[in-house]
């Protein structure tokens, strides 16, 4: 459930009527979580609470988005909520893996919160194993999207205008029966379950994902967040400039010297 920080004002309420909920799936390469980091850091979003659940491995650490010594000692936990009322955006960042056999309960709890908080739609950032793509998925861009039927009615035409590629279904029994197709997202964590449950509950959800491999997934995170920005226009991308996404301070510890100093 959502627990407010009680900072006061509309951003601290559990009523996010008309807001878009943006969240990651804990998936291969942690690409969704890294992309969420870029959104929170760049938009300087305010932490308004946390999502209390026993479905995630407990953890605590320093403020991952610290900008000065004063706020670097603030503590962060495994599932926190950030808000930006000016853009009608609320973000749930997940920082630890799921406890075994708790996926279903988490999905049910999350979707109950989505309904009670009156969020208009959910955008789930995810990833899938690149090495498990079928022949069709090897063609073109490594980025894909999925829309629940309720959201398809609202934005399906826009996705076609953007020339986005919908996630293909694959043969349920390759080589035996290639006519029966199913949605398969290997390495996607809760992605498929959350999407299918949203379909059945009439919740507007979009899944944006990237095929990738484990390793240095910084480029994948930038690709995914730029993909998201094509649709939601969170920031204005200037032509002939370096990336305008702000790297959070915590990435220095996570990736060491893997990032050029100019990014910080």
């Amino acid at each position: 459930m959502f627990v407010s920080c009680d900072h006061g004002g509309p951003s601290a309420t559990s009523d996010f009527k008309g807001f878009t909920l943006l969240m990651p799936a804990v998936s291969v390469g942690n690409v969704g979580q890294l992309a969420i980091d870029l959104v929170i850091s760049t938009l300087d979003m305010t932490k308004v609470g946390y999502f209390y659940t026993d479905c995630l491995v407990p953890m605590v650490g320093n403020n991952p988005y610290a900008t000065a010594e004063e706020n670097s000692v603030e503590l962060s936990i495994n599932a926190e909520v950030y808000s930006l009322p000016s853009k009608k955006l609320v973000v749930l960042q997940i920082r630890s893996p799921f406890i075994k056999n708790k996926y279903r309960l988490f999905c049910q709890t999350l979707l109950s919160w989505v309904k009670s908080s009156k969020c208009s739609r959910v955008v789930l950032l995810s990833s899938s194993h690149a090495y498990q793509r079928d022949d069709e998925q090897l063609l073109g861009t490594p980025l894909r999207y999925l829309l629940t039927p309720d959201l398809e009615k609202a934005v399906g035409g826009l996705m076609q205008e953007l020339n986005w590629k919908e996630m293909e279904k694959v043969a349920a029994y390759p080589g035996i029966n290639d006519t029966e197709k199913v949605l398969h997202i290997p390495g996607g964590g809760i992605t498929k379950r959350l999407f299918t449950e949203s379909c059945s509950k009439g919740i507007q959800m979009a899944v944006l994902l990237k095929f990738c491999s484990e390793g240095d997934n910084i480029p994948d995170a930038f690709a995914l967040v730029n993909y998201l920005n094509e649709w939601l226009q969170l920031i204005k991308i200037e032509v002939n400039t370096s990336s305008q996404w702000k790297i959070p301070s915590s990435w220095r510890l996570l990736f060491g010297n893997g990032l050029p100093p100019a990014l910080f």
Side-chain angles (χ1 to χ4, degrees):
M1 64 177 179
F2 173 76
V3 180
S4 172
C5 287
D6 291 324
H7 287 154
S11 64
T13 179
S14 60
D15 183 359
F16 298 109
K17 185 176 182 179
F19 279 50
T20 294
L21 171 62
L22 181 63
M23 63 171 289
V26 182
S27 52
V28 56
N30 303 106
V31 176
Q33 293 155 294
L34 293 173
I36 292 291
D37 268 351
L38 291 171
V39 171
I40 294 172
S41 182
T42 302
L43 299 180
D44 194 23
M45 298 184 72
T46 301
K47 182 164 70 174
V48 296
Y50 59 93
F51 196 74
Y52 177 76
T53 175
D54 62 356
C55 300
L56 295 167
V57 173
M59 61 78 61
V60 66
N62 286 358
N63 179 7
Y65 312 116
T67 55
E69 186 175 350
E70 290 75 21
N71 63 7
S72 64
V73 294
E74 295 176 3
L75 295 181
S76 293
I77 61 171
N78 55 8
E80 294 185 320
V81 180
Y82 298 78
S83 178
L84 188 62
S86 63
K87 289 187 178 292
K88 287 276 188 176
L89 183 68
V90 58
V91 171
L92 169 63
Q93 176 63 302
I94 300 174
R95 299 192 178 96
S96 68
F98 289 92
I99 293 174
K100 188 177 181 180
N101 298 326
K102 292 275 190 172
Y103 291 89
R104 184 185 295 273
L105 177 59
F106 178 83
C107 291
Q108 292 172 346
T109 304
L110 176 72
L111 294 180
S112 293
W113 176 54
V114 169
K115 286 196 169 184
S116 64
S117 63
K118 303 176 184 177
C119 289
S120 61
R121 61 188 177 187
V122 182
V123 181
L124 180 68
L125 301 185
S126 185
S127 51
S128 184
H129 284 301
Y131 74 90
Q132 288 193 250
R133 288 174 291 177
D134 67 3
D135 290 346
E136 187 179 4
Q137 291 172 338
L138 288 168
L139 301 173
T141 175
L143 296 159
R144 296 291 189 276
Y145 79 92
L146 286 166
L147 299 175
T148 59
D150 288 78
L151 188 56
E152 174 75 38
K153 297 173 185 176
V155 302
L158 175 60
M159 301 311 186
Q160 293 179 2
E161 291 178 16
L162 292 171
N163 291 319
W164 280 14
K165 201 167 185 178
E166 189 173 5
M167 183 67 170
E168 302 89 345
K169 291 186 176 181
V170 300
Y173 307 100
I176 301 174
N177 180 1
D178 293 331
T179 58
E180 185 180 346
K181 302 282 188 176
V182 296
L183 182 62
H184 186 48
I185 309 177
I190 64 170
T191 304
K192 181 178 177 179
R193 179 178 296 278
L194 203 55
F195 178 74
T196 54
E197 289 196 16
S198 295
C199 289
S200 63
K201 294 178 183 295
I203 291 174
Q204 294 193 14
M205 172 177 282
V207 175
L208 309 188
L209 66 82
K210 186 178 187 297
F211 294 115
C212 67
S213 302
E214 291 280 3
D216 180 357
N217 296 103
I218 294 172
D220 299 307
F222 275 105
L224 188 59
V225 78
N226 283 326
Y227 189 53
L228 170 72
N229 198 59
E230 285 183 40
W231 173 25
L232 296 187
Q233 299 289 298
L234 298 177
I235 65 171
K236 185 178 180 181
I237 300 294
E238 300 290 344
V239 180
N240 299 323
T241 59
S242 58
S243 175
Q244 291 159 285
W245 297 103
K246 181 182 176 183
I247 306 295
S249 56
S250 57
W251 283 23
R252 295 181 184 179
L253 302 176
L254 184 61
F255 296 106
N257 294 322
L259 287 171
L263 289 177
F264 294 100

